[in-house]
Amino acid sequence: MSTKMMNVRDLDSNTKAVTKAINAKEPSENVLTLITRLKEGGNPTEEMLRSTKAGVIIGKLRANENKEIAKAASELVGRWRKAVEVEKRKRAGPSATPAAAPAASDPKIAAKTSPAPPTARAKGEPYKGDSENRKNKTDGVNINRTGSSTRNACIGLMYDGLAYRSSESIMDVLEKAVACEAAAYDKYGGETQDYKKKLRSLFQNLKAKTNKELGQNVMSGKLSPKTLVSMSPDDLKSSELKKTEEKLMQENIKNAQVAQETRSISAELICGGCNQRKVAYTQAQTRSADEPMTTFCECMNCGKRWKFS
Ligand SMILES: [Zn+2]
């Protein structure tokens, strides 16, 4: 059996071509050629079979009136099912609990003969493993969704960020990760520095201890991938963190007001208005504690006010 990994786009386009050929009642050789091409394309993952519905579509052909097509479809589905089993066993490694293994063994994935309902992209099984340590590697996800290794790595990064602390299914997290990467790719004009910077920043925000809601909002759809990739660093911060900063700001304003009475005249500062060294100043932490202090200045000679940090 080939261990080559199939490209999801090839799988999708070939499967669509099979459906088209069947519906158009094309000669059986055409259908058989397409099935052979799918067979030679390598082994798809469970997620790929689900997202392209290839398992269902080819599974249906096992009942085709043409015996050759039925036989070829049967062989292909059998091969795919076996590959999914192998993959599942591989991912249920020593660290994975039985509950953490996704429902890859479900024979319905490849063997279902009735077509899925029209709206069906069934939500995957909720994740039951250790969500604190979820990553694309531990989830056994194939992140190779594009022809670019950079983009694929970014999809992996988004997956790791979104999966962290989430009990959403592997399929759902993967779908969002792909959509977020694609949105950033569109917004920042391809694999640019801004694109990479944005995805790294999103990953860090998703992994932030205080920012649990960010990933939840993306997964629930409250925050669209398009909006997510357009958010400023400040918007990405959690409301908890924003409240803390707001409180710090308020305290500093209060402190600065108290300090007004006792502010000192600097020997260093020169007024840009009158060039005199009669500048009174106070300092305050206006942002988070790791950012530099802001110095508020007032010229005692001409009254000019300014600030710097
Ligand atoms: Zn002055």
Side-chain angles (χ1 to χ4, degrees):
M1 185 191 286
S2 164
T3 53
K4 195 172 120 195
M5 193 63 86
M6 183 183 268
N7 178 313
V8 71
R9 278 178 304 188
D10 292 347
L11 177 65
D12 193 40
S13 62
N14 277 321
T15 304
K16 284 197 176 108
V18 168
T19 304
K20 207 174 141 203
I22 291 283
N23 290 344
K25 299 202 180 0
E26 282 182 31
S28 60
E29 299 89 81
N30 295 7
V31 179
L32 287 167
T33 303
L34 288 166
I35 293 177
T36 305
R37 203 180 291 165
L38 280 167
K39 202 156 138 189
E40 286 167 353
N43 295 325
T45 63
E46 183 199 353
E47 293 84 23
M48 287 160 75
L49 288 176
R50 275 195 200 273
S51 64
T52 59
K53 299 199 176 78
V56 175
I57 290 162
I58 305 301
K60 248 174 100 174
L61 292 184
R62 293 176 307 169
N64 194 278
E65 55 194 6
N66 181 303
K67 291 283 168 273
E68 273 184 284
I69 291 177
K71 186 165 169 266
S74 202
E75 274 173 17
L76 183 57
V77 167
R79 170 191 283 253
W80 282 350
R81 205 192 300 174
K82 210 164 145 196
V84 167
E85 283 292 327
V86 168
E87 203 197 335
K88 194 202 101 195
R89 248 175 279 135
K90 243 191 323 193
R91 82 175 76 152
S95 64
T97 63
S105 60
D106 186 350
K108 277 181 285 184
I109 293 155
K112 211 160 129 189
T113 49
S114 62
T119 56
R121 204 201 55 73
K123 261 179 95 78
E125 300 255 321
Y127 185 82
K128 295 191 189 78
D130 175 10
S131 64
E132 290 280 327
N133 292 308
R134 264 187 102 174
K135 290 187 179 68
N136 71 76
K137 288 202 174 72
T138 59
D139 282 7
V141 169
N142 175 17
I143 56 166
N144 297 323
R145 304 283 149 166
T146 72
S148 150
S149 57
T150 302
R151 293 192 66 186
N152 294 341
C154 287
I155 290 170
L157 203 61
M158 284 299 96
Y159 188 98
D160 293 353
L162 289 168
Y164 176 56
R165 290 177 299 205
S166 173
S167 59
E168 300 280 350
S169 76
I170 289 173
M171 275 301 293
D172 290 330
V173 176
L174 182 61
E175 191 180 289
K176 288 286 181 193
V178 168
C180 290
E181 185 280 333
Y185 188 83
D186 282 349
K187 175 152 176 72
Y188 299 99
E191 294 172 25
T192 58
Q193 286 306 316
D194 285 346
Y195 158 87
K196 290 176 203 165
K197 219 168 93 185
K198 175 54 78 175
L199 288 166
R200 272 196 299 268
S201 143
L202 287 176
F203 170 71
Q204 281 157 3
N205 276 283
L206 287 165
K207 292 282 278 188
K209 290 260 179 268
T210 53
N211 209 352
K212 197 173 178 178
E213 65 200 18
L214 182 64
Q216 286 172 344
N217 287 342
V218 176
M219 288 311 301
S220 72
K222 200 169 150 190
L223 206 55
S224 74
K226 204 177 159 192
T227 307
L228 178 75
V229 301
S230 310
M231 283 164 80
S232 70
D234 203 41
D235 289 338
L236 285 168
K237 279 181 196 161
S238 70
S239 55
E240 192 185 326
L241 190 62
K242 277 188 205 156
K243 261 182 245 155
T244 310
E245 290 193 344
E246 177 65 20
K247 209 174 137 212
L248 187 62
M249 175 96 89
Q250 292 304 329
E251 273 170 19
N252 281 327
I253 288 170
K254 220 161 66 188
N255 291 345
Q257 281 162 350
V258 172
Q260 290 280 318
E261 315 303 322
T262 55
R263 63 191 171 170
S264 47
I265 305 286
S266 164
E268 314 287 321
L269 296 167
I270 301 175
C271 170
C274 66
N275 281 326
Q276 301 255 359
R277 285 181 197 268
K278 286 178 183 157
V279 179
Y281 70 98
T282 53
Q283 287 189 308
Q285 199 82 47
T286 48
R287 303 284 299 163
S288 54
D290 55 0
E291 283 176 69
M293 301 265 275
T294 302
T295 304
F296 298 94
C297 303
E298 185 180 358
C299 175
M300 294 290 98
N301 186 45
C302 71
K304 182 180 162 77
R305 286 164 186 258
W306 70 97
K307 64 176 179 175
F308 64 89
S309 54

